[in-house]
Amino acid sequence: MLEILILILILFGIAILWIMIYDSNHFVVVRHEIRDRRIRGRCRVVFLSDLHNKQYGKDNVQLLAAIEELKPDAVLIGGDMINGKSGEKLEGTVDLLRSLKEKYPIYYANGNHEHRIKLYPETYGDAAERYGEALSELGIEPMVNCHVQLPGTNLAIYGSEIDKYYYKRFTVPEMEPDYLTGLLGCPRPEAYTILLAHDPDYFPQYARWGADLVLSGHVHGGIIRVPVLNKGLLSPNVRFFPKYDGGVFREGKSTMILSRGLGMHTIPFRLFNPGELIVIDFIEQ
């Protein structure tokens, strides 16, 4: 009986290891549709977040092929495409962005990793400068608390970069009511407003600010999805079973699509939690 139990445990461990390896190295395409009377015509975007220098095949050929098959009108980025890590290489992500920029307009909002390398050059050296120069050469200007109007669609895209204070571990610091207005100004109610906001914990504040749609990442789906509960286990700021872990959330008239991201960093695996490539169709109602 003991031998059978040991065998079962070994087989179970092998199965979990196989799933972990598989989920850490593939992604799924998740589709969403947004209809609103303010939208003009049709527009398709793909949303990338939390790649963390991950490569899906040589030169990210699998990711590029999936995006090309979707035929988007634009690529939106929610941050953490790179790792804020001393000595981390940037070339893989820059090459991916170069391939995307050749075909699609890119709207790039920073995450905490892009923000981090700017704040601490004594730790990360010239990484921020090198990455900034590489993006500039590609014609990509990160959207740091600014906005653009997507031509012909009446979609207004805002990119936010909140202070590092809001990324504390173990807690969610309070955000002052007028903080986002001070960063971003006020959205125009006649346009459909999309907010690229890396940290989903402040969705209620984004909603009160006036975002119609929030696109977030950061949480990596909770790293491990707990079967049956379908909940993420752990957030990057070390909180178990975070409220915002992946999927669609609503607050008043606002919707948040929270990507589980595409890569990994501190905890280098995923379990029951493959990466996500988000595609959104905006349709005139």
Side-chain angles (χ1 to χ4, degrees):
M1 187 64 183
L2 180 60
E3 291 85 353
I4 294 174
L5 180 59
I6 291 172
L7 179 60
I8 291 171
L9 290 174
I10 291 172
L11 292 175
F12 179 77
I14 291 171
I16 292 294
L17 180 61
W18 186 90
I19 295 169
M20 186 185 298
I21 293 170
Y22 181 65
D23 279 356
S24 299
N25 290 285
H26 91 287
F27 62 89
V28 297
V29 176
V30 180
R31 299 172 183 266
H32 299 275
E33 188 176 281
I34 302 289
R35 293 178 179 269
D36 192 272
R37 61 178 176 77
R38 291 166 292 177
I39 298 170
R40 300 289 176 261
R42 298 178 67 102
C43 178
R44 169 173 286 187
V45 305
V46 294
F47 175 56
L48 310 179
S49 185
D50 300 275
L51 183 68
H52 291 289
N53 288 332
K54 173 72 177 174
Q55 296 276 316
Y56 287 99
K58 181 175 172 55
D59 299 324
N60 260 311
V61 62
Q62 297 170 20
L63 183 57
L64 287 167
I67 293 171
E68 185 169 356
E69 186 176 340
L70 292 167
K71 296 180 171 57
D73 298 296
V75 175
L76 308 187
I77 293 176
D80 282 8
M81 294 294 281
I82 59 171
N83 278 330
K85 182 179 177 183
S86 181
E88 187 78 7
K89 295 184 182 299
L90 305 172
E91 289 77 11
T93 296
V94 171
D95 288 343
L96 170 67
L97 294 172
R98 179 179 295 108
S99 296
L100 291 173
K101 191 66 172 65
E102 289 172 355
K103 297 183 178 181
Y104 320 105
I106 294 177
Y107 302 92
Y108 189 138
N110 287 339
N112 58 302
H113 281 245
E114 288 94 347
H115 193 194
R116 182 189 301 168
I117 63 174
K118 292 191 298 181
L119 292 177
Y120 303 110
E122 67 279 7
T123 301
Y124 304 111
D126 64 348
E129 183 179 352
R130 289 187 291 112
Y131 193 51
E133 289 176 353
L135 293 182
S136 181
E137 288 175 6
L138 297 178
I140 299 172
E141 184 67 33
M143 298 181 66
V144 179
N145 300 321
C146 63
H147 72 280
V148 297
Q149 195 81 15
L150 211 57
T153 64
N154 203 32
L155 298 175
I157 303 175
Y158 284 74
S160 68
E161 182 179 84
I162 60 176
D163 192 83
K164 67 181 180 66
Y165 167 79
Y166 296 103
Y167 288 96
K168 285 187 175 181
R169 294 191 173 185
F170 310 112
T171 186
V172 179
E174 183 177 352
M175 181 178 282
E176 293 297 321
D178 60 350
Y179 179 73
L180 290 173
T181 303
L183 289 182
L184 300 167
C186 295
R188 295 187 303 112
E190 64 271 21
Y192 187 87
T193 299
I194 303 167
L195 177 64
L196 302 176
H198 186 69
D199 188 344
D201 282 329
Y202 295 97
F203 178 42
Q205 288 84 350
Y206 304 149
R208 285 196 292 272
W209 171 76
D212 295 300
L213 176 66
V214 178
L215 299 179
S216 285
H218 186 55
V219 185
H220 301 187
I223 303 168
I224 297 172
R225 304 293 295 183
V226 179
V228 182
L229 295 178
N230 192 30
K231 287 291 297 177
L233 179 65
L234 186 66
S235 74
N237 62 346
V238 197
R239 288 182 297 114
F240 287 97
F241 297 106
K243 177 179 179 179
Y244 301 118
D245 57 353
V248 178
F249 300 87
R250 291 183 172 83
E251 183 86 23
K253 296 181 180 180
S254 296
T255 299
M256 177 169 69
I257 297 175
L258 173 53
S259 172
R260 297 181 191 176
L262 286 159
M264 304 154 285
H265 59 96
T266 305
I267 301 176
F269 67 84
R270 291 172 171 266
L271 183 60
F272 306 117
N273 181 36
E276 287 186 342
L277 172 61
I278 304 290
V279 56
I280 308 169
D281 287 302
F282 294 95
I283 302 171
E284 182 177 359
Q285 191 172 53

